[in-house]
């Protein structure tokens, strides 16, 4: 018996050592894998932030160029067709807050100027179809653009072009290197983890995450060339590498892109210390479990095997002696150890059923919560968040075609002020029911807030069919809002714009529809306006920013039921 116990102990010890070695190796590999995933996530986030920063910088340049083009067109409008003196030109320059204003002939020669040029006097890019030309200094990786000037073609006698020069110190533009530093200054990491960017051409350190020492010594070398060589080798490997950074060993990932090496690294000591603590706990737990298992096996053997053998032996001796055994024969065939096992399995089955039902209830509640989060509780339509999510998903489809409609209840405030908010809510519900009845189930209908509603017609719609549909909606709304219309003058104004691929983003399409809604209200309310030109200007006074603007014509003529693309006026 003693030999059996010793053999069991030896087998248990060998098992513990084998499993400990496998556990240590797998845990080490798992720790490195987790660390690589963590560093990869940091680099992906850093690359995403850099991409957004570059995109925002490009957008800033486009907005800046458009701003100065608008100023140039304003100068052209202010100067008119008369003779211009130097004093007048200087006054215009100060009014426009620019560095220089110049009137040029067709060959680009200066006829009259005020202020000074910030950029070179060169041919520049060709004029656009609108008669505009923008010249921005490309700068360099380390230096931001130093100048910006715009030119617009003039149709007045005595000049062919108008040129505006911007002051370099007012541009507010950044170089690529500065964008990298800005993103890194906004990146925070754990104390033992760093993010860094290095110039891919020179090896010069561009920036580090702010909560780390502002130095990057790679491989014991501080020279830029040595740093660059080490990062190039790490980037070529593509996976997790071990680098000596600032005198300490680090696990590191390096990514190359757009002339910059991005580095994410964690101190190896920190990775190993966390792994060692968890490994020690795991091994201690395995040892304790093995000891308990050995004791349990010993107890089981003593109680159910050896004791049974002793009882069988005693019974056999009693039979041989002609005596009756002390217990029944059926008891010898019983296996009492199976009874607790069966009881445990039954309990596990009951627990499984109970937990499964709980999971189903949680899933149902989660689905209901998600549905309510995207819908307006008063009308049951999409709320702003739910509608914008659906609209963006539709517009992101390839060759998406449809129409965006904005609705506003005219004079709705009178209902709340005179009859109270409960009556106002009932008016909103009636109009929501009118919209449901007027459009298809495949169309997306929402309430943006207050008395503003929106519908996205999914699929191409013919112009004549659209006008017929809008007229029908106005007629249905007049019926649905009958009491409020008679008592408070409540009506509906509609702004429409086609989603035909020329306007890419939902935000831009919304601005076009909002402009159309403004025009419909300007034309007297209770009507619709279709924004064919995709204009998105909301100025109350036209500044002549474009020549083919129907809104400008409507404002100039003072509106009226005969205005272009408008209709649906009712009694």
């Amino acid at each position: 018996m003693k030999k059996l116990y010793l053999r069991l102990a030896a087998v248990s010890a060998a098992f513990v050592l084998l499993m400990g070695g496998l556990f240590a190796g797998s845990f080490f590999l798992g720790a490195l894998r987790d660390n690589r995933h963590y560093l990869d996530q940091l680099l992906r986030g850093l690359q995403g932030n850099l991409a957004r920063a570059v995109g925002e910088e490009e957008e800033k340049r486009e907005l800046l160029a458009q701003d100065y083009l608008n100023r140039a067109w304003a100068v052209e409008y202010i100067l008119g067709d008369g003779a211009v003196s130097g004093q007048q030109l200087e006054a215009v320059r100060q009014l426009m807050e620019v560095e220089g204003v110049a009137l040029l002939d067709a060959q680009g020669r200066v006829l009259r100027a005020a202020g000074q040029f910030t950029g070179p006097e060169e041919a520049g890019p060709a004029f656009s179809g609108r008669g505009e030309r923008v010249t921005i200094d490309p700068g360099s990786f380390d230096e931001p653009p130093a100048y910006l000037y715009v030119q617009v073609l003039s149709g007045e006698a005595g000049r062919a072009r108008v040129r505006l020069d911007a002051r370099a110190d007012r541009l507010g533009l950044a170089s690529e290197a500065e964008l990298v530093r800005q993103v890194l200054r906004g990146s925070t990491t754990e104390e033992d983890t760093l993010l860094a960017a290095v110039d891919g051409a020179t090896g010069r350190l561009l920036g580090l995450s702010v909560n780390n020492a502002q130095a990057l010594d790679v491989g014991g070398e501080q020279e830029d060339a040595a740093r660059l060589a080490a990062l190039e080798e790490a980037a070529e490997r593509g996976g997790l590498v071990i680098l000596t950074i600032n005198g300490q060993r680090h696990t590191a990932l390096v990514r190359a892109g757009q002339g910059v090496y991005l580095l994410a690294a964690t101190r190896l000591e920190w990775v190993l210390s966390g792994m060692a603590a968890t490994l020690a706990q795991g091994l201690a737990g395995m040892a304790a479990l093995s000891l308990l298992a050995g004791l349990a096996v010993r107890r089981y053997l003593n109680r159910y095997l050896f004791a049974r053998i002793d009882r069988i032996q005693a019974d056999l001796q009693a039979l041989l002696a002609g005596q009756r055994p002390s217990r029944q024969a059926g008891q010898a065939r019983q296996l009492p150890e199976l009874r607790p096992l069966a009881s445990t399995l039954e309990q596990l089955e009951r627990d499984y059923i109970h937990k499964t039902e709980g999971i189903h209830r949680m899933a149902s509640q989660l689905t209901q919560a998600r549905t309510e989060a995207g819908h307006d509780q008063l009308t049951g339509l999409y709320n702003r968040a739910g509608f914008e999510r659906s609209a963006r998903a539709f517009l992101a489809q390839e060759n998406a075609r449809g129409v965006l409609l904005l609705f506003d209840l005219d004079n709705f405030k009178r209902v709340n002020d005179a009859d109270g908010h409960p009556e106002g809510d009932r008016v909103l519900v009636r109009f929501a029911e009118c919209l449901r009845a007027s459009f298809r189930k495949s169309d997306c209908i929402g309430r943006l807030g207050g008395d503003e509603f929106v519908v996205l017609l999914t699929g191409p719609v013919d112009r004549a069919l659209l006008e017929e549909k809008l007229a029908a909606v106005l007629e249905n709304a007049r019926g649905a809002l009958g009491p409020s219309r008679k008592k408070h003058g409540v009506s509906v104004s509609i702004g429409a714009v086609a989603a035909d691929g020329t306007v890419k983003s939902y935000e831009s399409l919304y601005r076009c529809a909002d402009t159309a809604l403004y025009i419909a209200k300007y034309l007297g309310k209770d009507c619709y306006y279709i924004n064919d030109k995709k204009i998105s200007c909301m100025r109350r006074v036209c500044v002549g920013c474009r020549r083919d603007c129907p809104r400008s014509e409507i404002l100039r003529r003072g509106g009226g039921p005969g205005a272009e693309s408008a209709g649906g006026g009712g009694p």
Side-chain angles (χ1 to χ4, degrees):
M1 192 70 65
K2 184 177 180 180
K3 291 183 178 180
L4 178 60
Y5 288 146
L6 291 176
R7 290 177 181 176
L8 288 175
V11 170
S12 298
F15 175 78
V16 169
L17 292 176
L18 177 61
M19 294 303 297
L22 294 176
F23 182 78
S26 62
F27 193 84
F28 177 75
L29 294 177
L32 292 181
R33 182 172 58 252
D34 292 343
N35 181 249
R36 185 188 187 283
H37 178 72
Y38 170 65
L39 296 179
D40 183 65
Q41 291 296 105
L42 288 178
L43 285 180
R44 288 178 182 271
L46 181 59
Q47 289 174 324
N49 291 337
L50 284 174
R52 282 191 291 273
V54 171
E56 291 172 358
E57 184 68 15
E58 292 176 353
E59 183 179 357
K60 182 190 296 184
R61 297 189 183 191
E62 293 174 0
L63 292 175
L64 191 63
Q66 187 59 49
D67 176 53
Y68 276 87
L69 283 173
N70 291 339
R71 297 188 195 191
W73 285 117
V75 170
E76 168 67 8
Y77 178 81
I78 292 172
L79 294 180
D81 57 356
V84 179
S85 66
Q87 185 177 5
Q88 291 174 326
L89 204 58
E90 175 60 23
V92 170
R93 184 191 71 81
Q94 295 179 6
L95 176 64
M96 292 295 109
E97 297 181 347
V98 295
E99 185 69 12
V101 177
L103 306 181
L104 312 177
D105 62 13
Q107 287 72 38
R109 293 188 295 267
V110 178
L111 300 175
R112 187 175 296 279
Q116 59 183 3
F117 292 156
T118 61
E121 301 179 30
E122 54 187 15
F127 280 90
S128 67
R130 295 183 58 188
E132 301 172 343
R133 185 164 76 187
V134 179
T135 305
I136 302 179
D137 175 29
S140 65
F141 183 82
D142 293 300
E143 297 296 332
Y147 60 84
L148 176 148
Y149 62 92
V150 299
Q151 298 184 48
V152 297
L153 296 179
S154 173
E156 306 297 342
R159 60 178 180 272
R161 308 177 192 175
V162 175
R163 168 173 169 164
L164 265 64
D165 286 62
R167 290 175 53 182
D169 57 349
R170 298 189 60 166
L171 294 180
L173 301 178
S175 65
E176 295 181 42
E178 180 59 28
L179 289 178
V180 172
R181 286 189 285 271
Q182 290 176 3
V183 171
L184 283 171
R185 283 196 294 269
S187 301
T188 57
T189 62
E190 297 177 352
E191 182 178 358
D192 295 291
T193 303
L194 64 85
L195 290 172
V198 174
D199 191 332
T202 64
R204 176 170 53 91
L205 177 63
L206 297 177
L208 279 162
S209 45
V210 294
N211 57 329
N212 302 113
Q214 299 301 301
L216 189 66
D217 175 8
V218 180
E221 297 290 338
Q222 297 184 354
E223 289 78 13
D224 294 345
R227 181 190 299 129
L228 180 60
L231 295 181
E232 286 177 345
E233 181 180 357
E236 289 176 357
R237 293 184 183 180
L240 195 68
V241 296
I242 305 298
L243 293 178
T244 300
I245 300 176
N246 297 335
Q248 294 181 322
R249 304 286 283 177
H250 286 68
T251 57
L253 274 181
V254 180
R255 295 283 187 271
Q258 298 182 352
V260 176
Y261 283 108
L262 300 178
L263 167 69
T266 302
R267 280 199 312 120
L268 183 59
E269 179 184 354
W270 180 78
V271 177
L272 295 179
S273 63
M275 184 195 71
T278 307
L279 179 60
Q281 295 174 0
L283 291 177
M286 289 182 61
L289 289 175
S290 298
L291 178 60
L292 292 175
L295 295 175
V297 169
R298 180 179 178 180
R299 184 174 182 275
Y300 179 89
L301 291 176
N302 286 332
R303 181 174 180 179
Y304 296 107
L305 180 60
F306 298 136
R308 183 178 295 278
I309 292 174
D310 291 339
R311 288 195 300 270
I312 292 174
Q313 184 179 4
D315 290 343
L316 288 174
Q317 291 175 351
L319 288 173
L320 291 174
Q323 300 176 359
R324 187 174 180 178
S326 60
R327 59 186 181 85
Q328 298 179 0
Q331 292 177 332
R333 294 191 298 270
Q334 290 180 356
L335 295 176
E337 63 272 22
L338 294 180
R339 287 197 295 271
L341 177 60
S343 177
T344 301
L345 291 176
E346 292 174 357
Q347 183 62 40
L348 288 174
E349 182 180 6
R350 288 193 295 269
D351 292 345
Y352 173 78
I353 294 174
H354 176 71
K355 291 179 180 179
T356 301
E357 292 174 350
I359 291 174
H360 287 318
R361 286 195 300 271
M362 292 173 62
S364 177
Q365 293 171 358
L366 180 60
T367 301
Q368 181 179 359
R370 288 177 176 173
T371 301
E372 293 176 353
H375 288 74
D376 177 52
Q377 294 185 356
L378 176 64
T379 63
L381 304 177
Y382 279 117
N383 59 19
R384 178 181 291 273
F387 178 83
E388 290 181 352
R389 183 166 54 250
S390 299
R392 287 192 177 93
F394 173 77
L395 295 175
Q397 299 176 8
E398 185 176 359
N399 297 324
R401 296 293 184 270
V403 179
L404 184 65
L405 307 176
L406 278 184
F407 300 82
D408 188 82
L409 298 183
D410 308 316
N411 305 319
F412 174 76
K413 186 176 182 297
R414 298 177 184 174
V415 179
N416 286 335
D417 293 341
D419 300 336
H421 288 277
E423 179 59 26
D425 290 345
R426 285 189 284 270
V427 171
L428 294 175
V429 171
R430 286 198 296 271
F431 183 65
E433 293 172 351
C434 174
L435 291 180
R436 285 196 187 95
S438 300
F439 295 97
R440 305 165 298 180
K441 291 184 178 180
S442 59
D443 298 328
C444 188
I445 309 173
R447 178 190 175 202
L448 298 182
D451 59 348
E452 188 176 8
F453 294 76
V454 62
V455 174
L456 176 62
L457 304 180
T458 57
V461 181
D462 179 74
R463 172 57 184 265
L465 182 60
L466 176 61
E467 292 182 348
E468 180 182 351
K469 186 65 177 180
L470 294 178
V473 171
L474 287 174
E475 188 62 29
N476 294 340
R478 293 176 189 127
L481 304 175
S484 301
R485 179 181 176 85
K486 294 178 180 178
K487 185 176 181 180
H488 302 292
V490 177
S491 60
V492 179
S493 295
I494 308 174
V497 62
D500 54 9
T502 56
V503 178
K504 302 296 184 182
S505 69
Y506 167 78
E507 289 76 11
S508 300
L509 197 65
Y510 177 87
R511 286 195 296 270
C512 294
D514 197 29
T515 301
L517 179 62
Y518 174 84
I519 294 176
K521 285 183 169 293
Y522 185 84
L523 294 175
K525 304 179 182 179
D526 196 23
C527 65
Y528 63 83
Y529 183 83
I530 302 174
N531 191 349
D532 295 312
K533 299 293 185 179
K534 305 294 189 302
I535 55 176
S536 58
C537 174
M538 296 298 293
R539 295 188 180 93
R540 295 182 178 274
V541 178
C542 180
V543 297
C545 61
R546 54 187 291 176
R547 297 179 179 177
D548 58 341
C549 177
R551 181 175 178 275
S552 174
E553 180 64 20
I554 291 172
L555 293 176
R556 184 182 64 82
R557 295 187 312 188
E564 180 185 357
S565 300

